[in-house]
């Protein structure tokens, strides 16, 4: 049975992680959420005071990158890996709105990307991974055997994110979330370093009108066809 790498890229809030987790579970593969890594670097910049009042001190952040330790540690209770930043579990904190609003700009920095891509290469050495992100099929693993590119309309994506956030952030409005989704699309797809784009050999899934089960079954079928 050949071992493969599955790369799942696409716009934010298209359900990449949900699909990637289910696939990894079904195949006995490791799920790697690279967005969590960019979020952890953003939180690190905030904790260190390099990012405050909407101002990012790029030089200080870059100089401090050797002090940044990122690890995924498996949490058997969740059957998922938690994200550790310098030995602290930050899985919940990296999802807050402050991090979400700043992460795209941190992700534009070439030095940050270089460090994270090299960690990602390490994680994929033995293959058997489902990695989700923006540049997995184009930059991190251009040789991945299966590449999926996920998209949906900004309004549908904002509604999904809004529904998720309502319980933890009751003050948030749909308009704020929609604005954040559009803003991130713009930065992610126009940045100089590894912009979000579809690999020529990626399978595009627009899930505006697809159920989670439909898309899962379809991609699982593609993976099984390759694995045998
Ligand atoms: O998937 P997410 O929303 O958690 O990603 C957070 C941000 O990180 C997103 O704005 C784009 C960036 N990102 C990236 O540039 N490259 C990746 N491989 C993953 C995420």
């Amino acid at each position: 049975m050949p071992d493969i790498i599955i790369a799942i890229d696409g716009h934010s809030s298209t359900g990449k992680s949900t699909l990637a987790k289910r696939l990894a579970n079904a195949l006995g593969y490791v799920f790697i959420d690279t967005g969590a890594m960019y979020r952890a670097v953003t939180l690190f910049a905030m904790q260190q005071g390099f990012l405050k009042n909407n101002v990012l001190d790029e030089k200080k952040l870059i100089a401090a990158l050797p002090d940044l330790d990122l690890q995924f540690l498996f949490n058997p209770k969740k059957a998922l890996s938690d994200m550790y930043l310098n030995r602290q579990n930050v899985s919940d904190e990296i999802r807050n709105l402050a991090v979400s609003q700043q992460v795209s700009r941190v992700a534009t920095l070439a030095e940050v990307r270089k460090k994270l891509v090299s960690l990602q290469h390490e994680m994929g050495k033995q293959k058997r991974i489902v990695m989700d992100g923006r540049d997995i099929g184009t930059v991190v693993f251009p040789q991945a055997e299966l590449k999926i590119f996920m998209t949906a309309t900004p309004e549908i994506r904002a509604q999904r994110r809004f529904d998720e956030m309502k319980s933890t952030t009751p003050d948030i409005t749909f308009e704020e979330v929609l604005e954040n989704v559009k803003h991130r699309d713009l930065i992610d797809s126009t940045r100089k370093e590894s912009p979000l784009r579809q690999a020529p050999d990626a399978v595009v899934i627009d899930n505006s009108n697809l159920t989670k089960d439909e898309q899962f079954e379809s991609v699982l079928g593609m993976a099984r066809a390759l694995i045998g």
Side-chain angles (χ1 to χ4, degrees):
M1 258 179 30
D3 290 332
I4 66 169
I5 290 180
I6 303 177
I8 303 197
D9 292 304
H11 292 104
S12 59
S13 304
T14 45
K16 295 188 297 292
S17 300
T18 309
L19 174 66
K21 268 179 231 168
R22 272 183 89 176
L23 274 178
N25 256 336
L27 298 169
Y29 275 26
V30 175
F31 159 62
I32 300 164
D33 172 4
T34 62
M37 300 169 77
Y38 288 92
R39 287 170 178 273
V41 178
T42 307
L43 181 64
F44 172 75
M46 289 172 166
Q47 286 174 346
Q48 302 292 317
F50 307 148
L51 175 52
K52 55 182 174 198
N53 306 325
N54 219 12
V55 180
L56 172 65
D57 190 330
E58 296 181 7
K59 280 201 184 123
K60 282 199 179 148
L61 172 59
I62 292 164
L65 285 177
D67 305 328
L68 174 83
D69 177 51
L70 290 185
Q71 270 181 312
F72 283 110
L73 291 181
F74 191 72
N75 177 340
K77 274 195 206 145
K78 292 198 223 162
L80 267 184
S81 293
D82 279 323
M83 176 91 262
Y84 281 75
L85 162 63
N86 293 340
R87 322 247 157 230
Q88 227 198 325
N89 184 348
V90 293
S91 307
D92 292 333
E93 228 179 322
I94 57 171
R95 304 278 154 207
N96 70 31
L97 189 63
V99 172
S100 300
Q101 279 168 337
Q102 300 294 338
V103 58
S104 289
R105 37 206 292 233
V106 172
T108 61
L109 301 178
E111 291 79 358
V112 169
R113 304 202 69 86
K114 200 168 148 219
K115 173 160 180 148
L116 298 195
V117 169
S118 129
L119 289 172
Q120 290 153 10
H121 282 159
E122 262 320 290
M123 297 171 189
K125 261 193 178 158
Q126 313 290 327
K127 300 204 176 189
R128 302 182 62 86
I129 55 164
V130 185
M131 189 174 268
D132 96 53
R134 303 293 188 288
D135 58 343
I136 312 306
T138 51
V139 174
V140 185
F141 292 116
Q143 79 286 16
E145 288 81 358
L146 178 58
K147 300 179 186 178
I148 305 291
F149 189 88
M150 291 175 67
T151 189
T153 65
E155 287 73 18
I156 286 189
R157 290 186 282 132
Q159 188 63 51
R160 290 177 187 155
R161 176 80 28 131
F162 179 62
D163 292 340
E164 265 170 30
M165 294 181 84
K166 261 189 311 205
S167 57
T168 51
T169 321
D171 293 344
I172 195 125
T173 65
F174 172 77
E175 284 67 32
E176 277 177 296
V177 179
L178 180 61
E179 210 33 63
N180 180 245
V181 164
K182 287 185 175 167
H183 179 66
R184 286 210 285 159
D185 281 358
L186 183 72
I187 301 189
D188 291 347
S189 50
T190 56
R191 70 177 175 225
K192 230 170 62 211
E193 289 296 326
S194 313
L196 169 66
R197 61 187 170 79
Q198 184 193 320
D201 50 348
V203 179
V204 180
I205 298 190
D206 181 331
N207 62 21
S208 303
N209 299 305
L210 272 183
T211 68
K212 284 180 184 169
D213 286 344
E214 282 168 339
Q215 70 180 1
F216 167 68
E217 293 301 337
S218 142
V219 180
L220 182 63
M222 294 176 210
R224 289 216 201 279
L226 289 167
I227 296 171

